[in-house]
C-alpha cells in the first residue's frame, strides 16, 4: 500500500484516495486498540511535544502526508531540485563535512596556539571568535573595553594582531570562518592583507564572514550602524568579493543566534530565510545578477536537542530556499543551493552536571549530520561555565570524528528520507515558514518588521513558554529539574588573566607609534569619502587596514557618517 503511493507517479487520484481511505479505517481500529491499552499502561506525559512545543502524534503514517505529496516534487534525489535530500549528489560518501571548532580567547598569540592544536588533532577548518570590543568596533584601550579584552574571543585591533593570529598557518590551504558582523568589511580586509603578506592572492583564499546584520537587530544586538547603511556595507562586500575574492562566502545568514535568544525551530528557520531573501533583494536591486552572488551565500543554523525536529528544519530549509530563488530565474544551479554551517546549541548546555553536556552535543551533532550540514562546530562540555579548555575542546572535536568514522550514519545519503514522521515534520516546517513570510510582508518587509519589534516579540513569547514549561515540570532538563544532585562537580576552567589586557594595549600603542600616520590619515579620508558617496567601501577600507589603521579608527569614521544605532534610535 505504501509503495503504491510513494513509488508511482502515475497512480490516479482515485486510486490514492482509495488506498488512503482503507488505511484510515485500519488506523481507526488501531486507535481504538491503543485507547484500550491506555487503561493498563497510561501515557507517561499529559502531552508529547518537540523542543519547540509542537505537539507530536502517537504515530505517523501515510495519512499524515498531503494527497499531492510526491517523491519528485517534495523529495527528489540528492543534488537535485528541490534539494530536500542535500545539495551535493555524493554528500558524505564523497566528502565529510568541514570540522570547525569555534576558537578565540586572549590575545592573538594564545588563539594562534589553539588553532595549531586543533589542526594537529584533525580540525579541517578554522573558526574565529572575536572579543566584544572588536565586535563593536572599539579598540582595546577604549573605556567601553574595560574588563572585556580577550574574555569572549580574541582581541584584534590592527593588522598586526591579525598577522600574529595566522602566523604559520597557510591561508591558501585552510578555510576560515570569522564571526563578525558590523565591522565585517574591516576584518575581511585584514584577512586579505595577511594572505597577501604570505604571498597568497585574494582570489586564492576561501572562507566565510558572518556579516549578517539583520539577525543582530532581531536577536544578538551587536550592531553599530543603522539598518540601511549596514545593508549598503553588506552589498558592497558582496560586490567586491564577487569580482575579487570568488572563493569567499560573503555572508553567513544566521539562525543560530535567533535560536539562542529563545526562538522555536520554525521561527529560527523562517526568520533566517526571510533575512536571506532580503539580502538577495538588496543585491539584485543594486544591479547584481543572481548568479553573480547567490552561489557564495551560506547559512548558519543551530542544532538543538530534538533530533527529528532539527533534521526536518534543515531539509525544509533547502527546499524553501530553492523554491524561492527560482523566482529570480538563475542559470547556475548552484544559486539554488542552501549550504549551511551548524553549531550545537549553546543554550542547551547546563552548568549543572556539565559532563553530561557531551551527550547533548552528540545528539545535536548527529541531527546536523543527518540533516546534511556542510560544516559543524560541536560545543564543549564546559561552555556553560567558561570558554572551553583544551581538554574539553578536544573531546568536542572527537565527537564529530567518532560520528564520521564509527557510527555508520555517513555511509548512505539522507538515510531517514521517507519516514512518515520526518516528512510530516518537514512539510509542517515549510508551511509554517511560509505563514511567517506572509506576516513579514504584511508588515512591509524585514526591516519594517524589525523596527516594529515583530521578530523580537515572537522570540520573547517562545522563550517565555519554554521556560514556563520547565518551571511547571511539563518539560524536563536532566540535571536541572530532573535527576538533579546536590553534589558539586568541578571541571577545570580556562582563565583569561589581566596581563592579556596590558599586552594588548601595549601592542596597539606600539603599532600606532611605528606606522606611517600620514598614510593612515589619507586612507581614513578615502574611507569617509566613499561612505559619504556611493563608491564601494571595500577598496578604501583595505587601504586603511594595510596602513595599520585600527578597527576603532575605521569604525569611528563610519559612525561619523552613518550614525550609531541604539535599538530603534539613531544617535
Amino acid at each position: 500500500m505504501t509503495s503504491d503511493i510513494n513509488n508511482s507517479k502515475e497512480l490516479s487520484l482515485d486510486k490514492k484516495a482509495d488506498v488512503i481511505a482503507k488505511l484510515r479505517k485500519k488506523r481507526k481500529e488501531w486507535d481504538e486498540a491503543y485507547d484500550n491499552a491506555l487503561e493498563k499502561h497510561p501515557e507517561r506525559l499529559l502531552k508529547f511535544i518537540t523542543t519547540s512545543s509542537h505537539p507530536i502524534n502517537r504515530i505517523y503514517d501515510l495519512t499524515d502526508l498531503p494527497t499531492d505529496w510526491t517523491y519528485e516534487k517534495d523529495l527528489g534525489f540528492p543534488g537535485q531540485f528541490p534539494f530536500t535530500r542535500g545539495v551535493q549528489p555524493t554528500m558524505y560518501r564523497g566528502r565529510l563535512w568541514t570540522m570547525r571548532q569555534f576558537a578565540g580567547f586572549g590575545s592573538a598569540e594564545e588563539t594562534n596556539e589553539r588553532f595549531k592544536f586543533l589542526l594537529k588533532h584533525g580540525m579541517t577548518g578554522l573558526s574565529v571568535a572575536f572579543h566584544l570590543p572588536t565586535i563593536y568596533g572599539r579598540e582595546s584601550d577604549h573605556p567601553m573595553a574595560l574588563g572585556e579584552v580577550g574574555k569572549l574571543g580574541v582581541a584584534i585591533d590592527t593588522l598586526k594582531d591579525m598577522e600574529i593570529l595566522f602566523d604559520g598557518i597557510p591561508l591558501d590551504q585552510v578555510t576560515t570562518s570569522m564571526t563578525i558582523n558590523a565591522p565585517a568589511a574591516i576584518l575581511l580586509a585584514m584577512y586579505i592583507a595577511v594572505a597577501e603578506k604570505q604571498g597568497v592572492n585574494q582570489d586564492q583564499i576561501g572562507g566565510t564572514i558572518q556579516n549578517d546584520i539583520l539577525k543582530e537587530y532581531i536577536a544578538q544586538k551587536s550592531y553599530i550602524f543603522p539598518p540601511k547603511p549596514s545593508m549598503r556595507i553588506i552589498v558592497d562586500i558582496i560586490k567586491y568579493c564577487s569580482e575579487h575574492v570568488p572563493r569567499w562566502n560573503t555572508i553567513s545568514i544566521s539562525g543560530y543566534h535567533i535560536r539562542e535568544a529563545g526562538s522555536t525551530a520554525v521561527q529560527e528557520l523562517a526568520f533566517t530565510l526571510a533575512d536571506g531573501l532580503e539580502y538577495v533583494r538588496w543585491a539584485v536591486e543594486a544591479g547584481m545578477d543572481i548568479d553573480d552572488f547567490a552561489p557564495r551565500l551560506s547559512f548558519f543554523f543551530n542544532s538543538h536537542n530534538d533530533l527529528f525536529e532539527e533534521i526536518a528544519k534543515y531539509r525544509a530549509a533547502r527546499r524553501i530556499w530553492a523554491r524561492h530563488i527560482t523566482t529570480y530565474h538563475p542559470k547556475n544551479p548552484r544559486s539554488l543551493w542552501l549550504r549551511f554551517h551548524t553549531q550545537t546549541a549553546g543554550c542547551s548546555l547546563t552548568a549543572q552536571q556539565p559532563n553530561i553536556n557531551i551527550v547533548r552535543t552528540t545528539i545535536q551533532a548527529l541531527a546536523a549530520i543527518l540533516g546534511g550540514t556542510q560544516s559543524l562546530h560541536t560545543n564543549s562540555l564546559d561552555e556553560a561555565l567558561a570558554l572551553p579548555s583544551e581538554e574539553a575542546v578536544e573531546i568536542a572535536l572527537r565527537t564529530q570524528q567518532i560520528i564520521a568514522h564509527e557510527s555508520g550514519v555517513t555511509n548512505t545519503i539522507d538515510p531517514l528520507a521517507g519516514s512518515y514522521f520526518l516528512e510530516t515534520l518537514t512539510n509542517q516546517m515549510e508551511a509554517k515558514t511560509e505563514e511567517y513570510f506572509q506576516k513579514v510582508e504584511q508588515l512591509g518587509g524585514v526591516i519594517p518588521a524589525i523596527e516594529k519589534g515583530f521578530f523580537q516579540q515572537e522570540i520573547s513569547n517562545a522563550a517565555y513558554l519554554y521556560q514556563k514549561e520547565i518551571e511547571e515540570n511539563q518539560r524536563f532538563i536532566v540535571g536541572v529539574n530532573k535527576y538533579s544532585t546536590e553534589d558539586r562537580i568541578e571541571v577545570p576552567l580556562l582563565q583569561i588573566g589581566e596581563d592579556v589586557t596590558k599586552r594588548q594595549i601595549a601592542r596597539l600603542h606600539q603599532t600606532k607609534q611605528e606606522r606611517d600616520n600620514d598614510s593612515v590619515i589619507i586612507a581614513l579620508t578615502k574611507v569617509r569619502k566613499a561612505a559619504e558617496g556611493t563608491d564601494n567601501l571595500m577598496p578604501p577600507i583595505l587601504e586603511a587596514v594595510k596602513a595599520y589603521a585600527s578597527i576603532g579608527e575605521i569604525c569611528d569614521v563610519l559612525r561619523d557618517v552613518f550614525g550609531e544605532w541604539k535599538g530603534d534610535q539613531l544617535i
Side-chain angles (χ1 to χ4, degrees):
M1 181 161 43
T2 303
S3 61
D4 286 345
I5 294 291
N6 289 346
N7 298 333
S8 177
K9 284 178 58 183
E10 305 302 323
L11 197 63
S12 68
L13 292 176
D14 289 341
K15 178 63 174 176
K16 283 185 180 180
D18 181 56
V19 170
I20 291 173
K22 290 178 180 178
L23 181 57
R24 282 186 174 143
K25 182 178 179 181
K26 291 287 187 181
R27 172 65 182 272
K28 185 176 181 181
E29 294 172 359
W30 181 85
D31 282 336
E32 291 173 356
Y34 186 90
D35 289 337
N36 292 332
L38 288 178
E39 296 178 8
K40 186 176 181 180
H41 299 288
E43 291 185 331
R44 57 187 174 84
L45 298 174
L46 293 176
K47 60 180 180 178
F48 291 80
I49 56 175
T50 68
T51 297
S52 300
S53 303
H54 180 75
I56 299 297
N57 298 344
R58 294 169 170 175
I59 62 168
Y60 289 80
D61 58 34
L62 186 60
T63 62
D64 292 291
L65 296 176
T67 54
D68 65 345
W69 189 94
T70 66
Y71 184 95
E72 184 177 11
K73 175 174 68 71
D74 297 294
L75 273 180
F77 290 98
Q80 295 181 9
F81 188 87
F83 304 102
T84 311
R85 305 195 66 183
V87 295
Q88 294 280 5
T90 58
M91 289 303 290
Y92 306 138
R93 284 172 68 99
R95 176 186 174 186
L96 293 173
W97 61 93
T98 301
M99 298 183 189
R100 297 188 191 278
Q101 288 302 126
F102 194 38
F105 62 92
S107 67
E109 289 91 346
E110 286 92 349
T111 300
N112 177 265
E113 290 178 10
R114 178 62 64 87
F115 283 163
K116 289 175 178 175
F117 170 84
L118 288 166
L119 290 169
K120 179 181 177 182
H121 285 78
M123 185 175 74
T124 54
L126 302 177
S127 185
V128 189
F130 298 97
H131 75 166
L132 285 176
T134 295
I135 287 172
Y136 284 100
R138 300 292 187 185
E139 296 174 354
S140 293
D141 63 352
H142 192 279
M144 292 179 66
L146 183 64
E148 294 292 347
V149 176
K151 293 295 175 67
L152 294 179
V154 61
I156 299 293
D157 289 311
T158 70
L159 179 59
K160 178 63 70 177
D161 297 316
M162 207 71 156
E163 291 167 356
I164 296 169
L165 181 64
F166 293 105
D167 180 55
I169 299 173
L171 299 189
D172 57 342
Q173 297 178 31
V174 299
T175 60
T176 302
S177 175
M178 294 189 285
T179 301
I180 195 71
N181 292 287
I186 302 168
L187 273 297
L188 174 58
M190 287 185 180
Y191 193 85
I192 292 170
V194 171
E196 290 179 352
K197 284 179 175 288
Q198 291 185 3
V200 178
N201 293 329
Q202 55 185 318
D203 60 358
Q204 296 175 278
I205 59 174
T208 306
I209 40 172
Q210 194 164 102
N211 197 29
D212 175 8
I213 203 64
L214 292 176
K215 68 93 175 50
E216 296 297 331
Y217 301 120
I218 291 172
Q220 188 164 250
K221 314 301 183 186
S222 59
Y223 41 69
I224 299 176
F225 316 113
K228 290 182 180 179
S230 295
M231 292 293 284
R232 178 258 175 106
I233 296 171
I234 290 171
V235 172
D236 281 355
I237 293 171
I238 292 172
K239 280 184 173 181
Y240 181 86
C241 289
S242 296
E243 297 174 10
H244 303 287
V245 200
R247 295 180 57 215
W248 198 266
N249 296 321
T250 52
I251 191 168
S252 179
I253 305 154
S254 304
Y256 186 84
H257 313 84
I258 293 171
R259 192 67 176 280
E260 291 288 295
S263 80
T264 65
V266 168
Q267 289 170 345
E268 177 194 356
L269 177 61
F271 300 168
T272 305
L273 295 187
D275 288 349
L277 293 171
E278 185 72 2
Y279 293 125
V280 168
R281 185 177 70 81
W282 275 69
V284 170
E285 289 182 354
M288 299 188 70
D289 184 270
I290 188 71
D291 289 327
D292 290 340
F293 67 92
R296 301 313 305 180
L297 300 178
S298 64
F299 288 78
F300 175 23
F301 289 113
N302 195 295
S303 189
H304 215 292
N305 285 330
D306 197 308
L307 184 77
F308 289 100
E309 184 175 53
E310 296 305 300
I311 297 168
K313 179 182 71 182
Y314 307 132
R315 299 167 87 250
R318 284 190 292 267
R319 194 159 78 195
I320 296 165
W321 185 253
R323 287 177 176 169
H324 278 268
I325 295 300
T326 55
T327 62
Y328 289 95
H329 308 293
K331 297 179 178 63
N332 184 351
R334 288 179 65 98
S335 295
L336 301 173
W337 289 12
L338 183 145
R339 299 170 302 118
F340 66 98
H341 169 72
T342 310
Q343 181 173 340
T344 55
C347 61
S348 74
L349 303 180
T350 61
Q352 302 91 332
Q353 302 179 41
N355 288 333
I356 65 175
N357 288 327
I358 298 172
V359 182
R360 292 187 176 98
T361 296
T362 303
I363 293 169
Q364 295 163 8
L366 186 61
I369 292 158
L370 288 170
T373 192
Q374 276 65 58
S375 173
L376 178 61
H377 162 93
T378 34
N379 287 328
S380 300
L381 65 93
D382 52 0
E383 287 193 54
L385 301 165
L387 291 175
S389 67
E390 197 169 87
E391 179 183 6
V393 78
E394 184 177 356
I395 293 171
L397 179 58
R398 293 288 183 254
T399 301
Q400 295 196 48
Q401 292 164 340
I402 289 171
I403 295 174
H405 301 292
E406 299 184 30
S407 71
V409 300
T410 60
N411 292 340
T412 190
I413 302 166
D414 192 23
L416 297 180
S419 157
Y420 296 126
F421 179 39
L422 183 60
E423 299 305 345
T424 300
L425 281 180
T426 303
N427 290 342
Q428 291 171 344
M429 286 272 187
E430 183 173 12
K432 291 180 179 179
T433 295
E434 293 292 346
E435 289 176 9
Y436 265 120
F437 285 174
Q438 293 177 13
K439 291 178 181 179
V440 171
E441 284 305 308
Q442 289 169 2
L443 291 169
V446 172
I447 293 178
I450 289 170
E451 293 171 341
K452 294 171 184 174
F454 170 74
F455 299 110
Q456 299 91 318
Q457 188 62 56
E458 289 289 303
I459 294 170
S460 177
N461 293 343
Y464 171 78
L465 176 61
Y466 184 85
Q467 186 61 33
K468 184 170 180 282
E469 289 168 348
I470 294 173
E471 292 176 2
E472 295 179 353
N473 286 326
Q474 298 176 32
R475 180 185 299 282
F476 296 122
I477 308 297
V478 175
V480 178
N481 65 341
K482 190 79 167 176
Y483 311 118
S484 59
T485 177
E486 296 299 322
D487 297 335
R488 183 175 177 84
I489 300 174
E490 298 288 347
V491 295
L493 300 180
L494 178 67
Q495 302 289 338
I496 309 298
E498 291 305 316
D499 63 308
V500 169
T501 302
K502 295 177 182 177
R503 286 189 283 115
Q504 185 63 30
I505 292 175
R507 178 157 61 227
L508 172 62
H509 292 171
Q510 182 180 1
T511 300
K512 287 186 174 182
Q513 289 174 0
E514 294 176 350
R515 71 189 183 183
D516 182 344
N517 283 294
D518 289 338
S519 296
V520 172
I521 292 170
I522 292 169
L524 291 176
T525 301
K526 290 180 180 178
V527 172
R528 178 181 297 276
K529 183 178 179 181
E532 291 172 340
T534 59
D535 289 347
N536 193 301
L537 279 161
M538 276 300 298
I541 287 176
L542 183 57
E543 182 178 338
V545 160
K546 289 180 178 180
Y548 290 90
S550 73
I551 188 170
E553 289 169 330
I554 298 171
C555 281
D556 282 346
V557 169
L558 297 178
R559 282 186 179 94
D560 192 43
V561 176
F562 296 145
E564 194 171 357
W565 190 250
K566 296 290 185 183
D568 59 351
Q569 296 180 351
L570 180 64
I571 63 170

